[in-house]
Amino acid sequence: MPKELKYADEASKKMVLKANEENLETVWDRYEKMQPQCGFGLMGICCKICSMGPCRIDPFGEGPRTGICGANADTIAARNLIRMIAGGAAAHSDHGRDIAHALLMAAQNPSSDYTIKDEEKLKAIAGIYHIQTENRDTREIALDLARAALNEFGQQEGTLVMAERAPEARVKRWKELGIMPRAIDREIVEIMHRTHMGVDTDYRNLIRQGLRACLGDGWGGSMIATELSDILFGTPNPIRGESNLGVLDKDKVNLIVHGHEPTLSDIIAYVCQDEKLIKKAKDKGAAGIQLAGICCTANEILMRHGIPVAGNFLQQELAILTGAVDLMLVDVQCIMPGLSSLSNCFHTKLVTTSPKAKMPGVEHIEFHEDHAVKIATTIIEQAIENFSKRDGKRVVIPKETKGLVAGFTSESVFNFLGGKYRASYRPLNDAVIAGRLRGAAGVIGCSNPNMEYEEGHIKMVLELIKNDTLVVTTGCNAISCAKHGLLQPENAFKYAGEGLQEICRAVGIPPVLHVGSCVDNSRILTTLTHVVTEGGLGNDISDLPVAGAAPEWMSEKAVSIGFYFVASGVYTIICRPLAVMGSKNLHDYLTDGIEKEVGGKWAFELDPVKAAHMMLDHIDRKRKALKLKPLMYEQAYKPKDI
Ligand code: MSK
């Protein structure tokens, strides 16, 4: 049965139909072929960490209740889950390490292709690391900061400096629980040790280590990635852009950058404007060079340069199906191996660039920071060269595009909300206290063929903004929101509740604020901290009327992000549950018991509108606990159970 998308943006629907017509396989076809999926895997109760196995637990029938070693469902599910945290935290943090390394090279080498773009932020972050900034050369400060950040990955003493940025009450709680992260790599290694056969079998103790590792991601590796990227590439400011596959141009050389790291893509954004390269493209018969992004590499260059976004995770194959992509450059994370065979069905040249992420049969042009411009030029030249191989008869570019405003950060967003002369978080806190805003929600994360594409993202976000809840977004949710017009300020009047509309009107912002890529979820952590510090909404993140969600989550990174929000005190909901349903004890702990310890907890709800209502109920419970005024405007959703 050919797959048809029911809810997604029109461009994606058209491209899936094109794939069906041409009998080309996409992620949705592979998902169908995989059905039914393994129930033991879905419930988290298969174990293959030693060669006595694989073992699987039968939680309901007469089958085995333990593996061959005697591990029960609680142990097996908890071990599997925290190994997912390790995978996610490792991916984010290794990205952070690479950014710190790029900063180090920029500081050491005056002729580096990288320069310090935000000196103010360099000094601010150096201050957090207790680095002397007065009367010192920028490069010296950057060198000290890069070394201090790199040291946090492997330090043998102390705890992470960035984690101390959290509200005092939060840090105290982490220290009491023994989950203050010590070193980024160490926490990941310790997960691998504890989950080795015959080590930690107490599911609560295993989750504790998972919490410590994910905090090392959110308040460590990811935060280093975000802050140091801002220093190197510039802190974003609100910026206009375009989204969806219609940003590809049939007359130009189309170059797509896909993955996560900005180190090469940021340079490409500059080099693409080189007159000599544009002339080369014209000499080949093209009208110019069109650069666009997919996934979080897209978010990085959208936030800083306004480069258009071609699509999110589930659109990477659809971009190639247009027949108009001359070169797709991939770096790391969320790159489907299926791209390789699909690109062979078109003229599209696929190029890997990271030594950590090669693909069999795919050309590899290795990226090195010390000659970034040269490598970027080579890749663009190859895209230009490949333009002449394009088969015009196979080109189908959907016309759909949608304008957007992105580029919000913990600095710009709420200073923006405060207005030019009152740059502070006060107006935001006051809007919540007065009941104009109900609260805020972070809605983030991937897309997954196990759900109707974009239905989870869009229905949830619409329900939240309709009920006067300001939404902040990152990653692939941000791109879905963009394609559906939710990052357009004027659409506040179409979709938002009256209170949120007033705020959007007063400061000209969209009802959904795009704050960046997956690592930039750390911007949400710093924003929440600023809101606590501003006062009037409690002493800790867990007091705030806020909630988080990743409705269509897919990757291990999403598990780590979800856990670091829970560990930071945020109620966090996902549609498809974590793989814990085979362990009642673990399920109950994560969705209930853990709240007494860290102030946040998990919830699972397949229906995105019901999930949004659960978030609103939670926000209302927090409002009630803070004794805030009633909401200013009649709400569409009437809360239950508070
Ligand atoms: S890219 S991790 S599919 S959000 Fe950051 Fe999108 Fe999820 Fe990758």
Side-chain angles (χ1 to χ4, degrees), residues 92 258-260 294-297 299 312-314 333-334 444-447 474-477 479 517-519 553-558 561:
H92 283 148
H258 169 27
H260 278 78
I294 298 254
C295 278
C296 282
T297 300
N299 287 325
N312 60 10
F313 177 65
L314 287 186
Q333 302 166 24
C334 303
I444 65 146
C446 327
S447 310
T474 61
C476 289
N477 175 277
I479 299 172
S517 63
C518 292
V519 291
W553 75 282
M554 167 280 298
S555 73
E556 290 172 323
K557 292 180 291 172
I561 294 166

Side-chain angles (χ1 to χ4, degrees), residues 330 349-353 359-366 378 382:
V330 297
K349 184 163 198 164
L350 188 63
V351 173
T352 56
T353 55
M359 293 166 110
V362 170
E363 182 165 349
H364 184 71
I365 301 178
E366 195 146 307
T378 304
Q382 293 214 3

Side-chain angles (χ1 to χ4, degrees), residues 110-424:
S111 56
S112 166
D113 292 337
Y114 300 100
T115 52
I116 306 299
K117 298 261 173 28
D118 189 340
E119 286 191 24
E120 205 180 312
K121 186 150 209 180
L122 170 69
K123 287 182 184 157
I125 302 299
I128 291 166
Y129 278 89
H130 313 294
I131 293 165
Q132 179 70 33
T133 56
E134 263 174 49
N135 303 321
R136 292 189 75 201
D137 181 65
T138 303
R139 200 164 265 129
E140 275 177 26
I141 302 170
L143 191 61
D144 284 356
L145 177 59
R147 284 185 175 141
L150 285 168
N151 182 50
E152 291 216 293
F153 288 84
Q155 67 190 11
Q156 298 303 313
E157 286 173 6
T159 53
L160 298 187
V161 171
M162 295 275 212
E164 299 279 353
R165 298 171 94 184
E168 217 180 301
R170 178 83 354 215
V171 174
K172 185 167 174 278
R173 200 189 274 236
W174 289 339
K175 286 184 176 166
E176 282 165 3
L177 287 167
I179 58 170
M180 191 74 179
R182 297 160 296 182
I184 297 160
D185 292 350
R186 178 179 182 175
E187 305 309 355
I188 295 165
V189 168
E190 192 166 314
I191 284 185
M192 298 314 285
H193 178 190
R194 288 198 197 199
T195 56
H196 184 275
M197 189 271 150
V199 188
D200 201 351
T201 56
D202 176 340
Y203 69 94
R204 285 198 192 85
N205 206 41
L206 284 158
I207 296 297
R208 281 272 169 104
Q209 179 54 25
L211 294 174
R212 184 154 54 176
C214 70
L215 289 173
D217 170 359
W219 297 85
S222 282
M223 204 169 271
I224 287 172
T226 298
E227 303 291 25
L228 271 50
S229 291
D230 285 355
I231 292 167
L232 265 182
F233 309 117
T235 303
N237 270 302
I239 190 165
R240 288 195 180 275
E242 288 285 321
S243 61
N244 216 343
L245 294 165
V247 304
L248 298 173
D249 190 324
K250 75 173 179 29
D251 298 321
K252 291 185 179 170
V253 173
N254 289 306
L255 166 58
I256 286 190
V257 288
H258 169 27
H260 278 78
E261 293 186 347
T263 32
L264 177 56
S265 55
D266 199 88
I267 297 276
I268 286 201
Y270 285 105
V271 179
C272 262
Q273 297 164 29
D274 182 339
E275 286 302 328
K276 281 196 217 109
L277 287 171
I278 293 171
K279 182 169 179 314
K280 270 192 184 175
K282 289 186 174 165
D283 290 346
K284 287 276 175 192
I289 302 168
Q290 179 63 58
L291 176 63
I294 298 254
C295 278
C296 282
T297 300
N299 287 325
E300 295 279 356
I301 54 174
L302 166 70
M303 294 279 285
R304 297 192 175 90
H305 303 284
I307 303 286
V309 179
N312 60 10
F313 177 65
L314 287 186
Q315 287 179 292
Q316 55 189 285
E317 292 175 308
L318 306 186
I320 289 182
L321 276 157
T322 63
V325 177
D326 301 300
L327 190 144
M328 183 182 276
L329 170 169
V330 297
D331 52 52
V332 289
Q333 302 166 24
C334 303
I335 296 143
M336 286 189 202
L339 285 182
S340 165
S341 52
L342 187 64
S343 62
N344 284 338
C345 301
F346 292 86
H347 80 298
T348 305
K349 184 163 198 164
L350 188 63
V351 173
T352 56
T353 55
S354 167
K356 297 170 199 167
K358 295 186 180 181
M359 293 166 110
V362 170
E363 182 165 349
H364 184 71
I365 301 178
E366 195 146 307
F367 171 65
H368 293 281
E369 294 101 330
D370 45 6
H371 38 277
V373 168
K374 194 165 158 243
I375 292 162
T377 307
T378 304
I379 290 171
I380 297 166
E381 282 174 344
Q382 293 214 3
I384 295 169
E385 206 52 47
N386 208 32
F387 172 77
S388 32
K389 296 194 189 133
R390 199 192 282 177
D391 178 355
K393 292 191 286 301
R394 292 191 74 194
V395 172
V396 178
I397 303 177
K399 64 178 186 331
E400 285 80 11
T401 62
K402 200 64 100 177
L404 62 96
V405 178
F408 296 96
T409 64
S410 53
E411 294 86 4
S412 74
V413 154
F414 296 107
N415 291 347
F416 202 70
L417 275 179
K420 197 172 170 187
Y421 301 105
R422 205 185 165 203
S424 83

